[in-house]
Amino acid sequence: MALNNRYDFVLLFDVKDGNPNGDPDAGNLPRLDAESGRGLVTDVSLKRKVRNFVGMTKDQTEITESLTGEKKRFEIYVKEKAVLNNQHKRAYVGIGKPELLEGDDKKRKGGDAVDEARRWMCRNFFDVRTFGAVMSLGVNCGQVRGPVQLTFARSIDPIVTLEHSITRMAVSTEAEAEKQGGDNRTMGRKFTVPYGLYMAHGFVSSFLAKQTGFGEDDLELLWQALEQMFEHDRSAARGEMSTRGLYVFKHDSELGNARAHDLFARIRPQLKESVAAPRDFDDYGMHINDAELPAGVSLIRRAG
Amino acid sequence: MNINQGRKKMKIFCLEVIGDFACFTRPEMKVERVSYDVITPSAARAIYEAILWKPAVRWQVMKIEVLKPIKWITLRRNEVGAVVSSRNAQAAMNSGSGDLGLYIEDERQQRAGLFLRDVAYRIHAGFELLPNAGENNTSGKFLDMFERRASKGQCVNQPYLGCREFAAAFQLVDSPDALPAPIGESRDLGWMLYDMNYGNRASPNPRFFRAELKSGVLDLAKVEVRE
């Protein structure tokens, strides 16, 4: 079931006493746009969470009959070992064209099957279907451009970074223990953002969806992942993170019926007058202008 | 109709393009990405193509106006340093079994990028019809189509500033001398990528030109382009 609509969406999520996305250049401090003081979360960080969510919730060997009757699978190509360490061989549904790999004409090796291989990868792997992938298929590294485009998330207001020194009541080596005369303590550091509300924008192109076979069922799964991805991404570093809003603008047409950024401007979280420093989602007022949407555009509130 | 005739009659569309970030990667610094100071003609062309492109049409960027001071931000991200191998995919398809997943810890690369921040450009471009356009592809048809789409904010995919994560807001400008005025800055940008020459489909060749920003305007109408 191919997509027949353009979608533009706004994702709002917050963090409380955690580090939403560390900056490897700055010793894992929360990412910061130094000039404006606002926090950043990269697009790839959000995509990672979507992948992990799908990898966790979808049986990685499941074959789903999609609405078109085409068999689809929800495997994740780019995996994180920490989450999915199940390296075992699995049976793949081949397309059964071994004769293509025979013959000594190296140039044509798989030449006719390149498109087929690309389609097969898209059919099997949710993340290839959704975000695209660079594949060494055919000429000049055929790329699959995915229909889903995500931007960096920025915090609504400037964030502050707190640095905490913490102690561990153990040491890692004998030598350290001797040096400390049996005190056996290690100091560590941890950075948190006391509170930050972040907003990211995203786009779904139906034209590119047709090229990768990204369908309505995949879209539903994507929305679900964006709503729930933080619920399955708990860790010591992250603190409390959760999706606070997912506002989807659905266009009646494939080309769209309005400028994406005019639609985005209708979603405006604003710090309440009485609050000096935000520490909770309730410190923000959500101003959502859903009055007189442009013709052919509807707002779907998936969350918030 | 030869191409020169078409060029005389080419209607110029002006788009105002705005974004939080941008990265027009210098080809000589691809590993740790470093952006050019301003948008390249090829990235500008891609913005127009995201709104309308047909095989019969070739976009030609004539002028780029820089509306905001050139500002930078550096960011380091974890990236994957591998591509999907078609051979492995083929093998798995044919044998019916295989291990295709890719573990990011094994293939991780940390790459810094020097990106542009808070950019805004006014881009002037027109298109010419290619000689093999065919009977029912008239430029009038595409002119109307582009104008309709750009003024309504319609696009095939959201245009972006060099990389897909840096989405661009675009707006059709009716009066190209509109405010704001370009920044009053002149600098020699050196040799800059003009576009890729796709004459050889298997390995496109880059073409370069000598870019000079004059009072915030990059004039591309008469630049000399070299392979």
Side-chain angles (χ1 to χ4, degrees):
Chain A
M1 187 60 178
L3 296 190
N4 294 312
N5 308 81
R6 185 180 115 189
Y7 298 87
D8 303 315
F9 60 92
V10 177
L11 173 71
L12 274 175
F13 60 93
D14 66 353
V15 59
K16 200 174 193 167
D17 294 324
N19 180 354
N21 185 204
D23 186 348
D25 261 344
N28 209 30
L29 267 93
R31 290 184 190 277
L32 194 69
D33 173 349
E35 202 167 345
S36 65
R38 291 155 89 197
L40 291 173
V41 173
T42 58
D43 59 311
V44 283
S45 158
L46 296 169
K47 286 179 183 176
R48 171 83 267 145
K49 289 183 180 22
V50 170
R51 285 188 164 107
N52 286 353
F53 177 86
V54 173
M56 237 180 302
T57 54
K58 284 281 177 184
D59 179 359
Q60 291 294 287
T61 57
E62 178 188 8
I63 298 180
T64 322
E65 290 278 348
S66 77
L67 298 170
T68 50
E70 190 187 54
K71 288 191 169 136
K72 248 196 210 171
R73 300 176 60 196
F74 290 90
E75 267 192 89
I76 292 296
Y77 186 79
V78 187
K79 304 181 203 196
E80 208 175 57
K81 254 197 195 131
V83 179
L84 305 161
N85 201 356
N86 49 357
Q87 292 213 59
H88 53 259
K89 289 216 164 195
R90 280 188 306 262
Y92 284 94
V93 187
I95 55 163
K97 284 202 175 175
E99 72 278 3
L100 283 173
L101 292 172
E102 287 165 14
D104 50 7
D105 184 2
K106 281 207 173 63
K107 277 221 169 68
R108 276 202 58 253
K109 217 174 203 186
D112 301 343
V114 159
D115 278 349
E116 201 161 12
R118 192 180 288 141
R119 271 201 302 277
W120 183 84
M121 287 298 293
C122 286
R123 242 194 348 256
N124 277 269
F125 293 97
F126 176 81
D127 53 346
V128 175
R129 225 169 25 236
T130 307
F131 300 127
V134 179
M135 310 198 194
S136 61
L137 292 166
V139 288
N140 74 27
C141 283
Q143 287 190 23
V144 177
R145 277 202 302 169
V148 178
Q149 208 176 327
L150 268 173
T151 65
F152 282 16
R154 270 188 179 185
S155 66
I156 307 296
D157 289 297
I159 56 166
V160 288
T161 299
L162 303 182
E163 184 182 342
H164 313 272
S165 286
I166 49 180
T167 50
R168 177 177 65 171
M169 307 313 264
V171 289
S172 12
T173 60
E174 287 282 349
E176 259 183 290
E178 267 173 45
K179 211 166 29 185
Q180 294 190 10
D183 238 2
N184 287 10
R185 282 199 303 193
T186 327
M187 301 290 284
R189 291 191 315 168
K190 189 172 177 170
F191 302 101
T192 63
V193 175
Y195 186 80
L197 180 63
Y198 289 76
M199 178 153 73
H201 294 158
F203 313 89
V204 184
S205 159
S206 68
F207 297 97
L208 297 177
K210 287 192 177 67
Q211 289 175 21
T212 67
F214 180 90
E216 296 281 357
D217 50 344
D218 294 316
L219 187 71
E220 182 56 35
L221 181 60
L222 175 76
W223 299 143
Q224 212 186 339
L226 291 170
E227 286 164 28
Q228 299 176 22
M229 58 193 181
F230 298 113
E231 311 294 326
H232 303 276
D233 189 59
R234 306 283 180 215
S235 75
R238 297 274 174 254
E240 289 174 50
M241 293 182 75
S242 67
T243 298
R244 293 295 190 168
L246 178 56
Y247 303 94
V248 181
F249 291 99
K250 181 178 180 177
H251 299 252
D252 278 353
S253 64
E254 289 194 85
L255 280 167
N257 301 53
R259 295 179 64 226
H261 289 78
D262 290 346
L263 297 175
F264 292 153
R266 293 169 167 266
I267 310 286
R268 281 273 170 267
Q270 221 168 7
L271 203 56
K272 287 177 180 163
E273 295 265 330
S274 53
V275 180
R279 286 295 178 265
D280 195 89
F281 186 61
D282 291 342
D283 293 344
Y284 281 90
M286 285 300 298
H287 302 282
I288 296 164
N289 174 9
D290 53 4
E292 294 174 25
L293 283 164
V297 178
S298 51
L299 170 59
I300 305 165
R301 297 191 187 197
R302 294 286 315 211
Chain B
M1 178 178 105
N2 70 30
I3 286 179
N4 283 336
Q5 264 182 344
R7 188 160 293 178
K8 276 193 200 114
K9 284 194 292 192
M10 187 157 71
K11 179 175 157 85
I12 302 291
F13 291 105
C14 174
L15 281 182
E16 187 170 299
V17 184
I18 298 172
D20 287 347
F21 303 97
C23 179
F24 311 107
T25 311
R26 290 172 182 268
E28 68 271 24
M29 294 186 247
K30 271 189 135 158
V31 177
E32 303 264 300
R33 293 186 194 87
V34 177
S35 174
Y36 280 115
D37 295 16
V38 301
I39 188 170
T40 58
S42 80
R45 169 183 60 83
I47 289 175
Y48 282 80
E49 286 179 352
I51 300 168
L52 175 102
W53 181 80
K54 292 279 190 297
V57 164
R58 184 197 292 140
W59 284 100
Q60 182 94 26
V61 182
M62 305 308 277
K63 192 164 77 168
I64 293 167
E65 295 176 88
V66 184
L67 308 180
K68 280 192 181 166
I70 296 164
K71 289 194 294 192
W72 301 90
I73 185 171
T74 166
L75 270 175
R76 186 177 291 270
R77 291 182 285 183
N78 292 326
E79 300 185 12
V80 166
V83 296
V84 177
S85 146
S86 55
R87 289 218 348 245
N88 292 357
Q90 289 279 354
M93 281 155 66
N94 292 319
S95 67
S97 77
D99 200 353
L100 273 183
L102 182 131
Y103 293 94
I104 49 171
E105 281 87 352
D106 304 339
E107 302 282 354
R108 170 170 291 173
Q109 297 181 343
Q110 285 201 337
R111 289 190 183 183
L114 189 56
F115 306 141
L116 295 167
R117 280 192 334 114
D118 292 328
V119 298
Y121 304 106
R122 255 198 313 268
I123 305 170
H124 303 256
F127 66 81
E128 53 197 22
L129 281 184
L130 295 178
N132 56 0
E135 289 285 302
N136 48 10
N137 284 329
T138 60
S139 55
K141 168 175 137 184
F142 292 134
L143 286 172
D144 294 344
M145 271 170 89
F146 183 84
E147 197 140 359
R148 245 193 339 261
R149 289 185 185 184
S151 57
K152 283 188 194 164
Q154 298 182 320
C155 54
V156 171
N157 59 288
Q158 191 67 29
Y160 47 91
L161 298 162
C163 303
R164 288 196 74 194
E165 57 269 34
F166 307 135
F170 65 94
Q171 196 163 13
L172 189 66
V173 180
D174 297 331
S175 48
D177 312 329
L179 296 169
I183 54 170
E185 191 178 323
S186 301
R187 55 166 94 172
D188 183 356
L189 301 173
W191 286 97
M192 187 167 164
L193 178 79
Y194 183 78
D195 209 331
M196 305 297 281
N197 180 0
Y198 293 100
N200 173 4
R201 287 303 307 270
S203 66
N205 280 324
R207 297 153 72 218
F208 293 89
F209 74 109
R210 191 69 200 242
E212 276 198 63
L213 196 63
K214 290 181 182 153
S215 334
V217 179
L218 191 60
D219 194 349
L220 298 158
K222 295 192 184 70
V223 291
E224 183 193 351
V225 180
R226 295 188 196 169
E227 287 275 329

